[in-house]
């Protein structure tokens, strides 16, 4: 597995995801508890929060939908945030990993390593032998 250094743009991406989450946080009725920000290869950034419900949708899906709806097709890096996780960063679930690898097999994901240090890894490292 290749680990990429977190740079200033990545730190900014985390801040944008946290800002989106904080401006929409609601852990009672709607459970907007996860925020996500995605940076496109052209530098544009989109952010969103999860939608709760019986068949709710992760923030990664919401944010990817926002970006795609805006016409984006090339993605560089994504991060998801939750207030209760180390560095307030949470790794994507298995369902989101599959979605990410299908939409953007070279996207990088910011997450915590085993020592809770922020790192960036390629989505292929997060879902080996994925069905594509
Ligand atoms: Zn997910």
């Amino acid at each position: 597995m290749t680990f990429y250094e977190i740079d200033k743009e990545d730190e900014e991406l985390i801040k944008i995801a946290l800002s989106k989450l904080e401006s929409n946080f609601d852990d009672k009725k709607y459970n907007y508890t996860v925020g996500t920000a995605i940076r496109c290869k052209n530098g544009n950034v989109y952010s969103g929060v999860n939608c709760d419900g019986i068949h709710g949708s992760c923030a990664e899906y919401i944010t990817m939908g926002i970006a795609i709806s805006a016409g984006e097709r090339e993605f560089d890096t994504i991060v998801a945030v939750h207030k209760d996780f180390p560095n307030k960063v949470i790794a994507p679930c298995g369902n989101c990993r599959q979605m990410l690898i299908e939409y953007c097999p070279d996207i990088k994901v910011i997450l915590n390593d085993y020592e809770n240090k922020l790192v960036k890894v390629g989505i292929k490292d997060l879902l080996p032998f994925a069905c594509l």
Side-chain angles (χ1 to χ4, degrees), residues 14 18 79-91 110-119:
I14 295 168
L18 282 169
V79 65
V81 296
H82 186 293
K83 69 180 180 69
D84 294 335
F85 282 77
N87 300 307
K88 296 184 179 178
V89 168
I90 181 172
I110 299 170
L111 41 64
N112 294 300
D113 69 7
Y114 294 117
E115 297 170 347
N116 289 328
K117 177 182 173 239
L118 284 174
V119 294

Side-chain angles (χ1 to χ4, degrees), residues 4-13 36-46 63-64 67 72-79 100-101 103-111 119-124 126:
Y4 302 91
E5 291 291 320
I6 300 294
D7 60 24
K8 295 273 186 211
E9 283 187 315
D10 298 327
E11 291 170 359
E12 183 62 27
L13 199 64
T36 302
I38 188 168
R39 184 174 61 243
C40 304
K41 288 187 177 175
N42 61 15
N44 290 340
V45 172
Y46 299 87
T63 304
M64 181 62 81
E72 304 290 353
R73 296 295 184 271
E74 301 285 326
F75 304 98
D76 183 75
T77 302
I78 189 168
V79 65
L100 288 169
I101 206 166
Y103 273 92
C104 32
D106 62 343
I107 195 168
K108 294 178 184 69
V109 180
I110 299 170
L111 41 64
V119 294
K120 198 163 54 170
V121 300
I123 188 65
K124 287 180 179 172
L126 293 181

Side-chain angles (χ1 to χ4, degrees), residues 1 8 19-20 38 40 58 65-66 71 88 93 95 100 116 130:
M1 182 179 296
K8 295 273 186 211
S19 175
K20 181 62 76 176
I38 188 168
C40 304
C58 294
I66 292 168
K88 296 184 179 178
C93 74
N95 196 31
L100 288 169
N116 289 328

